[in-house]
Amino acid sequence: MTLSSLNWVSRFTDQTPGDAEKGGTSRQVPGACWSRVDPTPVPEPVLRLWSREMAVELGIEAGEGDVLGGSSLIKGMDPYAQRYGGHQFGNWAGQLGDGRAITLGEAETGEGVLELQLKGSGITPYSRFADGKAVLRSSIREFLCSEAMFHLGVPTTRALSLVTTGEDVIRDVMYDGRPAPETGAVVCRVAQSFLRFGSFQIHAMTGDFETLRKLVDFTVRHHFPGHRTDSDEALLEWLKQVADETARMIAHWMRVGFVHGVMNTDNMSIHGLTIDYGPYGWLEGYDRGWTPNTTDARTKRYRFGNQGRIGEWNFARLLESIGPLMSDPERLYEALDYYRESYQAHDRNVWAAKLGLGELRPEDEELISGLVSNLEMVETDMTILFRSLSNLSSPDVSQIEFAFYDPETIPAQEWAQWLSEWWQRVDGQPDLEGMRLANPKYVLRNWMAQLAIDAAEKGDYSVANELHEMLKAPYDEQPEHEGKWYQKRPEWARHRVGCSMLSCSS
Ligand code: AMP
Ligand code: MG
């Protein structure tokens, strides 16, 4: 079985309004949810990374590099770029759309329809001033991280393949006026759909309530079984599900130490999936104020500790855009309240699971805030600290020492105090096995991705493959990987571009 034997359907282009023109140059496309456009063929497509798990889900064994690189199409595919808008860093940015992504088609797998989309396959009517292409470094980051997130149990879009194109792409990595050629690549990503909050916003913001209505009906009919759209009540029920899935996703990010970095409303999936892996990062030292995104360095709007609240802000923008379809839009506040409650509940579950507390008690609030305050006292590796707790045999500071960057400055007294409180709370018998399922041992640390990139840029994909394999079992001990990858950030990575700072220049 290959891509050509899949059962290709085209529900989205058949059932929602689209652009009358195919392809063409950048333009406004009022009244449309999509524009037909073919991927741009590339000189030398070579398949470099492949997700067997994703392929199995699709029901295929192998992929054709030329198709996954955008150089040829299969009968039944109906490629298009989606139109959407979005609030970027808090400001309405108007029409954005798939500027460098092209959906090849939707495949009926027997257990549901999945959309296959190429990222980096050339210009579309939504490319604006950019080239529609992607570089190897950001493609590796998307491929590895989305698969790692899946295996961590975090809702996410998936990656099937990474193909290099044999063509250079010019990028100014740090926007400092020093553009340089980089290897071009295309990732094929997969999800039930790539609809975003911004997909709905664009129609509401332009006053096109007819198209908005059609898109909402389509979305609920195909993606939210059991829901309806024919009354305020029904719309609210649907929105509450979106609220819950969004809150659940962000609580998972907080559990594993993931910072999305660009939580603009065009990067918020309607399915509560982590989407659009750009300048994301993973906490090394626990720090609620950290963001990897240099574009956001001043206000840190999308910092780790703000993600739950930004989810709420973004969800409010989605609610506003559904308002025009309701007879009593005031009722949308019910859905907003629901997000808040839902996030709180998921957040509590996360802490309970990470600390093996079972049912959370009111007095646990203090235990948790004490922990956070200890974690932020000196640079303390989040992943190692929680993993150490998950293997603790006695409430002894020596058992968590490995999590600290500087053995000289460990706040031993504060930790001794906290450990003994926690130990008492769990009656000296923490559910370590349960905790090990909430506290991963291996995550895609920023410097790990960078090592995979450095090697791949020299044509060596062994590091990327090694990480891909290891991150399929992030909760297992995997002692063979411990010495190399269960490690705090090495000093060389502290200030290196790509490790501690990332831009949107992908
Ligand atoms: P992002 O912040 O990466 O999600 O992208 C924001 C918007 O910019 C989306 O509409 C993207 O499609 C568009 N975009 C980003 N990079 C490119 C590129 N290289 N070519 C065309 N459009 C791009
Ligand atoms: Mg985006």
Side-chain angles (χ1 to χ4, degrees):
M1 290 281 280
T2 60
L3 288 167
S4 32
S5 39
L6 284 176
N7 178 14
W8 294 97
V9 295
S10 38
R11 298 186 310 190
F12 192 59
T13 44
D14 284 348
Q15 298 173 32
T16 63
D19 185 359
E21 191 180 331
K22 180 172 178 179
T25 50
S26 287
R27 59 179 185 275
Q28 293 294 312
V29 192
C33 296
W34 46 267
S35 299
R36 282 202 169 86
V37 56
D38 286 344
T40 306
V42 300
E44 204 186 324
V46 180
L47 184 59
R48 303 287 189 178
L49 299 173
W50 177 250
S51 166
R52 245 179 301 123
E53 293 73 24
M54 189 64 246
V56 166
E57 227 169 280
L58 284 164
I60 58 178
E61 279 129 33
E64 300 88 320
D66 55 338
V67 178
L68 294 169
S71 281
S72 43
L73 291 171
I74 283 166
K75 195 164 166 281
M77 287 177 171
D78 188 17
Y80 69 87
Q82 196 200 139
R83 175 170 177 256
Y84 53 79
H87 278 86
Q88 297 185 316
F89 298 96
N91 305 304
W92 176 244
Q95 177 184 296
L96 298 167
D98 286 334
R100 57 172 160 176
I102 295 179
T103 289
L104 290 174
E106 297 167 271
E108 172 60 76
T109 66
E111 285 173 45
V113 172
L114 289 174
E115 185 173 331
L116 276 75
Q117 182 180 81
L118 301 185
K119 185 167 173 182
S121 54
I123 54 167
T124 77
Y126 308 98
S127 298
R128 296 174 287 157
F129 309 107
D131 58 7
K133 292 177 182 160
V135 295
L136 182 58
R137 98 186 116 80
S138 65
S139 305
I140 286 188
R141 283 170 51 82
E142 170 134 14
F143 181 95
L144 288 181
C145 197
S146 58
E147 287 305 276
M149 292 284 263
F150 169 73
H151 293 288
L152 281 163
V154 183
T156 180
T157 63
R158 302 287 304 276
L160 173 67
S161 59
L162 183 149
V163 168
T164 49
T165 60
E167 172 178 76
D168 280 350
V169 174
I170 308 293
R171 284 291 181 274
D172 187 356
V173 183
M174 290 316 290
Y175 303 122
D176 60 359
R178 288 185 298 172
E182 295 189 47
T183 309
V186 175
V187 167
C188 177
R189 51 185 195 175
V190 184
Q192 49 268 58
S193 93
F194 291 89
L195 289 164
R196 301 124 193 279
F197 289 4
S199 311
F200 302 89
Q201 284 185 285
I202 186 70
H203 308 301
M205 295 294 271
T206 53
D208 182 359
F209 306 142
E210 202 183 316
T211 307
L212 175 67
R213 164 56 75 184
K214 285 181 185 155
L215 181 63
V216 167
D217 285 347
F218 173 88
T219 304
V220 172
R221 181 164 70 248
H222 290 295
H223 298 296
F224 292 85
H227 283 278
R228 298 194 331 263
T229 59
D230 52 2
S231 65
D232 283 8
E233 197 58 43
L235 285 167
L236 281 175
E237 285 310 307
W238 164 56
L239 289 165
K240 284 181 185 173
Q241 185 172 335
V242 176
D244 187 57
E245 286 172 0
T246 305
R248 178 170 172 270
M249 164 187 78
I250 298 174
H252 272 292
W253 294 353
M254 302 307 285
R255 174 174 68 81
V256 298
F258 176 81
V259 190
H260 182 284
V262 210
M263 291 177 73
N264 294 333
T265 57
D266 52 302
N267 290 339
M268 297 293 293
S269 147
I270 197 71
H271 309 293
L273 302 173
T274 314
I275 191 174
D276 280 12
Y277 289 85
Y280 69 81
W282 293 80
L283 288 197
E284 314 246 15
Y286 189 91
D287 175 3
R288 284 171 294 174
W290 187 71
T291 176
N293 187 355
T294 51
T295 318
D296 192 24
R298 207 172 43 81
T299 58
K300 295 195 164 65
R301 178 182 173 85
Y302 298 142
R303 63 189 180 275
F304 178 64
N306 211 27
Q307 297 188 115
R309 250 173 300 161
I310 289 293
E312 179 182 331
W313 193 91
N314 288 343
F315 184 61
R317 303 291 80 74
L318 175 69
L319 294 177
E320 283 165 3
S321 71
I322 303 303
L325 303 182
M326 294 181 62
S327 44
D328 182 9
E330 281 291 310
R331 292 198 61 193
L332 288 168
Y333 283 107
E334 293 170 34
L336 193 58
D337 290 342
Y338 189 85
Y339 173 91
R340 254 177 242 131
E341 287 158 25
S342 176
Y343 184 74
Q344 248 173 31
H346 285 295
D347 182 57
R348 276 199 294 266
N349 288 342
V350 159
W351 282 110
K354 286 184 84 64
L355 296 176
L357 301 179
E359 196 71 12
L360 217 58
R361 303 174 193 157
E363 63 269 25
D364 290 334
E365 299 288 330
E366 219 168 301
L367 188 72
I368 293 166
S369 60
L371 171 63
V372 170
S373 131
N374 275 9
L375 280 166
E376 289 185 336
M377 226 172 265
V378 298
E379 196 171 29
T380 312
D381 189 273
M382 175 183 178
T383 303
I384 296 179
L385 192 282
F386 282 98
R387 190 68 184 187
S388 304
L389 291 181
S390 316
N391 284 313
L392 213 71
S393 53
S394 66
D396 203 339
V397 180
S398 65
Q399 300 210 5
I400 58 169
E401 253 173 13
F402 187 46
F404 298 95
Y405 276 76
D406 177 4
E408 303 288 306
T409 61
I410 299 176
Q413 227 179 342
E414 287 84 350
W415 276 106
Q417 171 76 21
W418 186 87
L419 285 171
S420 90
E421 281 165 22
W422 174 61
W423 201 250
Q424 258 182 343
R425 165 66 177 82
V426 295
D427 297 325
Q429 291 173 318
D431 169 19
L432 298 179
E433 211 174 312
M435 285 172 67
R436 284 193 289 269
L437 295 175
N439 299 313
K441 179 161 180 177
Y442 301 101
V443 296
L444 185 65
R445 293 166 181 272
N446 314 307
W447 53 272
M448 291 163 57
Q450 190 59 44
L451 288 175
I453 291 165
D454 289 345
E457 284 178 341
K458 295 192 193 97
D460 171 9
Y461 289 82
S462 63
V463 185
N465 279 316
E466 181 182 341
L467 292 177
H468 181 198
E469 282 305 313
M470 176 181 83
L471 293 168
K472 288 177 188 175
Y475 301 103
D476 291 357
E477 290 297 330
Q478 303 193 65
E480 69 279 20
H481 289 304
E482 198 169 278
K484 196 163 161 196
W485 301 120
Y486 183 61
Q487 294 295 342
K488 298 180 283 280
R489 177 197 49 231
E491 270 316 297
W492 63 259
R494 186 179 285 273
H495 299 297
R496 176 148 178 221
V497 173
C499 296
S500 58
M501 314 174 262
L502 290 135
S503 71
C504 292
S505 73
S506 35

